[in-house]
Amino acid sequence: MAGPSEKKEKVKKEKVLKEKVATSSGQKKKDVKKETGLGLSVKKDENFGDWYSEVCKQDMIEYYDISGCYILRPWSMAIWEIMQIFFDAEIKKMKVKNCYFPLFVSPAVLEKEKDHIEGFAPEVAWVTKSGKSDLEIPIAIRPTSETVMYPYYSKWIRGHRDLPLKLNQWCNVVRWEFSNPTPFIRSREFLWQEGHTAFATKAEADEEVLQILELYRRIYEEYLAVPVVKGMKSENEKFAGGLYTTSVEAFIPNTGRGVQGATSHCLGQNFAKMFEINYENEKAETAMVWQNSWAYSTRTIGVMIMTHGDDKGLVLPPKVASVQVVVIPVPYKDANTQGIYDACTATASALCEAGIRAEEDLRDNYSPGWKYSDWEMKGVPLRIEIGPRDLENDQVRTVRRDNGVKEDIPRGSLVENVKELLEKIQQNMYEVAKQKREACVQEVKTWDEFIKALNEKKLILAPWCDEEEVERDVKARTKGETGAAKTLCSPFDQPELPEGTLCFASGKPAKKWTYWGRSY
Ligand code: 87F
């Protein structure tokens, strides 16, 4: 039931709505924003780029005075930490140990990886001065840590008993990107974990690649409620220094772009050769190790924001939200205000004691309606409202952020009901995101179908001959302002490929189904 102050809010909102309808453009909405400081001035469907930066800027990110660098505010850092706790515990179960290597790389060591670094060289940032004097030898800032770590792997791995060596570090890396920086998705400095492991056999390395990839899938699907495809990168798109690259790929329906969510590489013995990572095997022969490397970064948060956010702002999946439930008092003048405030505090405490991340909002300088909008913008999954009627009936009113559904629940079963609701929200967010993605998948067989689907921002699944030259050709033929189309991955879960199916691009016999699209 709506209390009088809620009704007042509703009347106000309706007035605003009428005014909005009365004017032709979104100008009115901008005015509302100016007056209250609340709400977004752009709609997700109308201008996705502006919508995204506005949503990020509300609570997640502060822009910085160096282009491509962003401040991660507590609201986003908390999400990173929750994922970190999960992943860190999982890799520890796999006997991976954490370590920390320096941020700086000497040119001599960086050069060792010359062949593979070549394409990346323009992105490497260098320190050339200390104070006013030039450094004798400039030093690079790590863009990734293969060259930093592997000289020490060579030193530490001597005999078969030193294997496997499984290390991970949580750190920042710097890649001086020149193309269009985007918060979380493409920044010049970002946070990640990088795992680097060495084994005696390829079989062990192969197995770990997939174990890690499964953890990445779980981060996206179970934590961020973002559906991903697990698959193999093409020869063109794999990490050039490695043997093969697996990835989880997400898709953003609004822009029709794929986004590489995380990668798990088998490096084979390439780096072992370069860095002389040898050991004496059981037969007293010299052998070379097999290596993997794997990483996920703060990009995960950007993918989550893009997937779930709406015209009211962020929508956070309960599993990663630092505040899962916000409790808001809805008092009005003749009511027992103190009683309502106390009920809010007691409700939040009871939830916290049960391990739910809950907070009451007792600020006395904002109306309930203002607070509703504020917490909606922040994306808190569940709102609890307590007004005089609720107090009387020994109940609370819940409002879901994902679908707006309201439900009154008895205070006696508060904890169970809220737990259940949070699980439902998590599940629903994943299902909705998956349906939206599925609606974008387009199977094509011919070049014309491919071009049509590409223009319609589809996630394209096409039979492909798996030839590097053909992928390069597709890139060249689709090059435009919005970027070229390329392979995203060949899904491990392959649909049936009937005998005689031809490649959509070359007309040669197709070897596999592959996802194609523009990408971030
Ligand atoms: C940019 C500048 C210099 C990507 C770069 O994916 C070097 C590189 O080596 C570079 N951008 N890469 C590839 C990174 C490969 C690999 N490293 C460890 C990973 C997972 C973690």
Side-chain angles (χ1 to χ4, degrees):
M1 290 291 282
S5 79
E6 193 185 335
K7 274 189 195 141
K8 230 193 274 164
E9 276 307 318
K10 227 176 130 190
V11 171
K12 240 197 271 170
K13 266 192 194 151
E14 274 162 11
K15 215 173 128 198
V16 169
L17 210 76
K18 273 187 201 144
E19 282 168 0
K20 250 194 277 167
V21 174
T23 46
S24 56
S25 68
Q27 187 55 41
K28 203 78 212 176
K29 193 154 191 210
K30 274 202 175 132
D31 293 345
V32 172
K33 181 181 158 52
K34 226 186 278 165
E35 265 172 40
T36 61
L38 276 181
L40 300 175
S41 67
V42 207
K43 289 199 158 129
K44 191 178 186 183
D45 281 346
E46 285 168 6
N47 185 337
F48 184 80
D50 287 357
W51 170 86
Y52 179 70
S53 50
E54 206 175 339
V55 173
C56 285
K57 271 194 275 190
Q58 291 286 358
D59 292 285
M60 299 289 230
I61 286 271
E62 184 71 66
Y63 277 64
Y64 196 60
D65 73 341
I66 296 172
S67 165
C69 297
Y70 307 93
I71 297 162
L72 301 190
R73 299 181 63 188
W75 203 243
S76 56
M77 197 60 192
I79 295 172
W80 182 245
E81 284 176 337
I82 289 168
M83 294 191 287
Q84 185 172 23
I85 288 166
F86 161 74
F87 189 81
D88 203 63
E90 289 297 323
I91 59 175
K92 278 178 180 149
K93 286 185 206 162
M94 295 168 62
K95 307 270 167 57
V96 176
K97 292 195 169 71
N98 280 327
C99 61
Y100 187 77
F101 281 77
L103 168 70
F104 298 118
V105 198
S106 72
V109 169
L110 199 66
E111 285 282 298
K112 267 203 153 176
E113 206 210 1
K114 213 174 178 178
D115 292 351
H116 309 109
I117 271 290
E118 216 166 53
F120 296 126
E123 285 179 17
V124 177
W126 293 85
V127 179
T128 58
K129 277 178 183 279
S130 83
K132 284 191 171 146
S133 32
D134 289 341
L135 291 187
E136 208 166 298
I137 305 168
I139 38 180
I141 302 173
R142 66 175 164 227
T144 175
S145 301
E146 281 81 356
T147 57
V148 177
M149 295 167 88
Y150 297 167
Y152 300 89
Y153 279 45
S154 168
K155 180 175 178 204
W156 297 335
I157 299 169
R158 284 284 126 103
H160 59 90
R161 288 177 199 85
D162 301 323
L163 293 174
L165 179 62
K166 304 189 197 189
L167 299 181
N168 176 70
Q169 64 177 357
W170 293 95
C171 64
N172 59 340
V173 286
V174 172
R175 294 178 185 175
W176 214 253
E177 303 264 2
F178 290 94
S179 60
N180 172 40
T182 308
F184 299 113
I185 299 290
R186 191 180 302 105
S187 54
R188 285 177 164 175
E189 179 186 358
F190 56 86
L191 303 181
W192 75 353
Q193 61 63 222
E194 51 178 319
H196 295 265
T197 53
F199 301 90
T201 63
K202 178 166 184 292
E204 290 167 274
D206 286 337
E207 187 188 358
E208 190 208 57
V209 165
L210 295 183
Q211 281 174 342
I212 294 293
L213 196 68
E214 172 61 8
L215 293 180
Y216 293 152
R217 183 199 66 76
R218 290 182 61 194
I219 286 179
Y220 275 97
E221 298 197 334
E222 292 177 13
Y223 280 76
L224 301 171
V226 172
V228 289
V229 176
K230 283 204 238 178
M232 186 69 74
K233 285 287 194 184
S234 70
E235 276 304 301
N236 275 311
E237 291 300 320
K238 74 171 196 187
F239 172 36
L243 187 59
Y244 64 87
T245 295
T246 67
S247 70
V248 289
E249 301 283 328
F251 183 75
I252 310 298
N254 303 73
T255 55
R257 282 177 192 273
V259 49
Q260 180 173 285
T263 47
S264 180
H265 314 277
C266 178
L267 303 178
Q269 297 183 307
N270 298 345
F271 286 92
K273 264 174 227 151
M274 271 184 285
F275 290 89
E276 296 173 55
I277 313 177
N278 305 318
Y279 69 100
E280 193 181 272
N281 68 15
E282 281 100 332
K283 295 178 220 151
E285 302 155 345
T286 301
M288 241 184 314
V289 299
W290 291 86
Q291 289 177 278
N292 290 342
S293 76
W294 27 272
Y296 81 91
S297 74
T298 36
R299 169 177 271 203
T300 45
I301 301 172
V303 177
M304 180 274 286
I305 297 171
M306 288 182 168
T307 302
H308 302 300
D310 65 16
D311 292 342
K312 290 179 176 176
L314 291 167
V315 184
L316 301 180
K319 276 195 97 161
V320 294
S322 60
V323 178
Q324 297 172 306
V325 183
V326 63
V327 187
I328 299 177
V330 193
Y332 69 99
K333 48 177 178 337
D334 300 326
N336 174 8
T337 303
Q338 194 53 50
I340 291 173
Y341 273 54
D342 291 347
C344 288
T345 306
T347 300
S349 303
L351 292 174
C352 286
E353 254 162 56
I356 296 163
R357 297 187 287 270
E359 215 173 75
E360 68 271 36
D361 180 356
L362 304 184
R363 290 177 290 178
D364 61 5
N365 54 336
Y366 294 111
S367 69
W370 192 94
K371 290 179 188 174
Y372 297 168
S373 305
D374 190 36
W375 291 102
E376 276 171 357
M377 202 154 60
K378 286 175 140 63
V380 168
L382 194 67
R383 174 169 90 227
I384 290 183
E385 305 168 4
I386 304 180
R389 184 70 58 103
D390 301 306
L391 213 53
E392 223 170 78
N393 297 343
D394 206 25
Q395 67 183 29
V396 301
R397 151 75 48 107
T398 59
V399 185
R400 286 171 62 160
R401 177 64 180 90
D402 62 327
N403 60 9
V405 169
K406 297 179 179 180
E407 198 185 330
D408 292 328
I409 59 175
R411 280 171 72 183
S413 58
L414 174 83
V415 167
E416 298 143 66
N417 280 290
V418 167
K419 274 194 177 157
E420 204 176 290
L421 272 168
L422 291 174
E423 274 163 30
K424 278 191 184 153
I425 295 170
Q426 183 79 32
Q427 192 58 31
N428 184 55
M429 287 178 69
Y430 174 74
E431 295 299 339
V432 169
K434 191 160 180 177
Q435 274 167 23
K436 284 188 186 162
R437 188 197 62 183
E438 291 312 301
C440 293
V441 175
Q442 179 80 53
E443 245 183 63
V444 308
K445 295 274 176 62
T446 66
W447 180 256
D448 288 349
E449 285 172 8
F450 176 80
I451 291 298
K452 181 165 180 280
L454 193 63
N455 291 333
E456 288 169 353
K457 297 186 182 168
K458 299 289 190 189
L459 171 54
I460 303 170
L461 186 58
W464 180 39
C465 61
D466 198 13
E467 288 181 15
E468 285 178 65
E469 195 45 52
V470 173
E471 180 170 6
R472 272 196 286 275
D473 188 47
V474 172
K475 271 191 191 169
R477 289 162 78 186
T478 55
K479 216 171 163 182
E481 259 174 45
T482 48
K486 60 180 190 182
T487 58
L488 305 173
C489 73
S490 299
F492 289 140
D493 189 4
Q494 285 275 314
E496 200 204 318
L497 186 68
E499 266 296 311
T501 306
L502 302 179
C503 169
F504 76 101
S506 69
K508 294 178 192 175
K511 293 212 179 94
K512 50 167 77 155
W513 287 97
T514 301
Y515 281 108
W516 295 75
R518 296 201 171 89
S519 72
Y520 279 97

